[in-house]
Amino acid sequence: MKAIVKHGSKAGAVAIEDVEKPHYSQNEVLIRVRAAGVCGSDVGAYLGKPEYEYIDTPAILGHECAGTVESVGTDVKSVEPDDRIALQPGSPCGACYQCRTGEPNNCPDRVPAVAAGGFAPYVVAKPDQVVSVPDDVPIEHAAITEPLAVTHRAVVTKGGVSPGDSVLVQGPGPMGVFSSLVARAAGADVVVTGLPDDAVRLETLSDLDIETVTINSDTGEPSPEALCGRYATRNGFDVAVDATGVESGVGTAIEATRDGGTIVVIGIPSTPVTINMAELVRSEIDLRTSHGSVTEDFFRALELLRSPDALPIDSIVDPADPRRPNDAFESFVRAETVKPLLDIDELQTV
Ligand SMILES: [Zn+2]
Ligand SMILES: [Zn+2]
């Protein structure tokens, strides 16, 4: 079978190669992948960023994927061949404290989701890693269940966003874009900020009637205070989601959040961040983080995918040619697209 494979830890070095169809054991499921989304982490691995050096290469990239069950091991009773499913990537150990108390995303022994083998026609999973897709959700939409689950956890579970809240989302990468849509679906008024380089992604959001603001990279204008004055009703945003992944993101979120409000950091800055702790304590701002997702977030994400009005997914996903993966990665790097989507059947026609 043809797969998109990353070699070594240097930049580039991604190729389509013939690899062996994976074998599955009696308690595993063989999945026929139909569609797969390109994640920032796939692009990070493609670029050879230091955060992804831990990936054991050669590795088949891709972890946001959906398809059908091809066959199951003799011990598997929960799914059957032809079931439509989304993959919940990254295996937690199932035995540690976090796994047993509903936080498998924080399992210290979990296998990271990245490079789960989704950019290939077949992938093997444990039965509890497959989540059934409702009939009215197209399988290519179900491919982005995972990033949607991750932002559901950030916005709803950790951010506690409720109807009528004003929400600031900083950084219109895929996580920021999905966060803004999840927050709006939860009944919030949402504003997304980005930089001039994010023009295409911000435009995608304004086309969906989400308020967007371009921050001047030199002056930092409009300031957090100015944003609050214009968009927040309670002397600051109730919730700020920082999806920038840069050092200044948390600081501006603190300035924009109302006293007693909540900040959820989902971007991962590559340098240490200095924050004004005194300001944070005196204003009793709840600074939280969110990473990954749990099965409940998967179910919630699939529910959201059932209502195209709440989540206009066709406007967000961008069909890309899996036979030219480097092009898909490069257009992501240039911020020309939010969520490239690969039709894995096409990969086999190389
Ligand atoms: Zn992802
Ligand atoms: Zn565990």
Side-chain angles (χ1 to χ4, degrees):
M1 64 177 192
K2 302 262 198 270
I4 298 173
V5 181
K6 165 75 184 176
H7 286 275
S9 56
K10 291 205 173 61
V14 167
I16 296 176
E17 286 171 17
D18 269 310
V19 297
E20 213 186 312
K21 190 172 161 182
H23 297 282
Y24 61 101
S25 70
Q26 58 195 38
N27 63 351
E28 287 180 322
V29 179
L30 182 66
I31 297 167
R32 177 78 168 92
V33 180
R34 297 288 168 184
V38 173
C39 178
S41 60
D42 294 311
V43 177
Y46 161 75
L47 294 173
K49 285 191 177 175
E51 302 95 283
Y52 299 100
E53 252 168 25
Y54 67 86
I55 297 174
D56 233 343
T57 54
I60 302 174
L61 297 177
H63 62 271
E64 301 173 0
C65 60
T68 49
V69 172
E70 180 79 5
S71 45
V72 302
T74 46
D75 289 354
V76 176
K77 305 289 177 228
S78 54
V79 286
E80 298 180 344
D82 296 332
D83 282 358
R84 301 165 75 249
I85 56 98
L87 176 71
Q88 189 180 352
S91 320
C93 79
C96 71
Y97 177 81
Q98 287 92 327
C99 280
R100 296 174 66 188
T101 54
E103 286 188 6
N105 60 318
N106 293 325
C107 170
D109 296 321
R110 70 193 180 278
V111 178
V114 183
F119 294 166
Y122 294 100
V123 68
V124 171
K126 296 273 184 252
D128 60 5
Q129 282 183 279
V130 299
V131 181
S132 133
V133 173
D135 288 343
D136 49 358
V137 175
I139 213 71
E140 62 275 17
H141 291 181
I144 54 99
T145 309
E146 193 261 354
L148 203 52
V150 169
T151 49
H152 179 273
R153 180 170 180 82
V155 170
V156 179
T157 313
K158 305 300 287 278
V161 167
S162 344
D165 280 354
S166 59
V167 174
L168 172 68
V169 176
Q170 304 186 124
M175 287 294 124
V177 168
F178 285 134
S179 292
S180 67
L181 294 171
V182 171
R184 183 169 70 173
D189 293 320
V190 185
V191 184
V192 181
T193 57
L195 298 174
D197 285 350
D198 299 315
V200 174
R201 289 166 170 176
L202 291 172
E203 204 180 303
T204 304
L205 286 170
S206 22
D207 287 348
L208 297 171
D209 293 325
I210 287 189
E211 290 285 354
T212 63
V213 175
T214 303
I215 306 285
N216 184 312
S217 337
D218 298 323
T219 64
E221 294 293 321
S223 66
E225 296 75 24
L227 283 177
C228 292
R230 215 187 306 165
Y231 297 106
T233 46
R234 298 167 184 152
N235 298 314
F237 290 91
D238 298 295
V239 180
V241 176
D242 181 40
T244 59
V246 297
E247 188 188 345
S248 57
V250 183
T252 51
I254 292 173
E255 288 178 51
T257 303
R258 71 164 169 84
D259 290 9
T262 303
I263 297 169
V264 184
V265 181
I266 52 172
I268 302 180
S270 45
T271 52
V273 172
T274 305
I275 56 169
N276 186 338
M277 206 60 195
E279 192 185 332
L280 203 66
V281 174
R282 286 200 189 102
S283 53
E284 209 182 42
I285 289 172
D286 200 356
L287 179 62
R288 316 191 81 182
T289 60
S290 189
H291 190 231
S293 62
V294 300
T295 306
E296 187 195 346
D297 299 307
F298 257 71
F299 283 108
R300 302 274 179 209
L302 284 163
E303 274 307 314
L304 280 171
L305 287 169
R306 296 185 69 184
S307 36
D309 290 341
L311 203 95
I313 208 67
D314 276 329
S315 315
I316 302 297
V317 295
D318 228 345
D321 190 343
R323 293 163 297 189
R324 287 159 44 203
N326 293 14
D327 290 359
F329 296 152
E330 288 297 337
S331 98
F332 186 99
V333 172
R334 291 192 300 267
E336 292 167 353
T337 172
V338 175
K339 181 55 71 182
L341 187 72
L342 309 178
D343 175 340
I344 296 299
D345 287 340
E346 272 180 19
L347 186 59
Q348 302 316 298
T349 63
V350 173

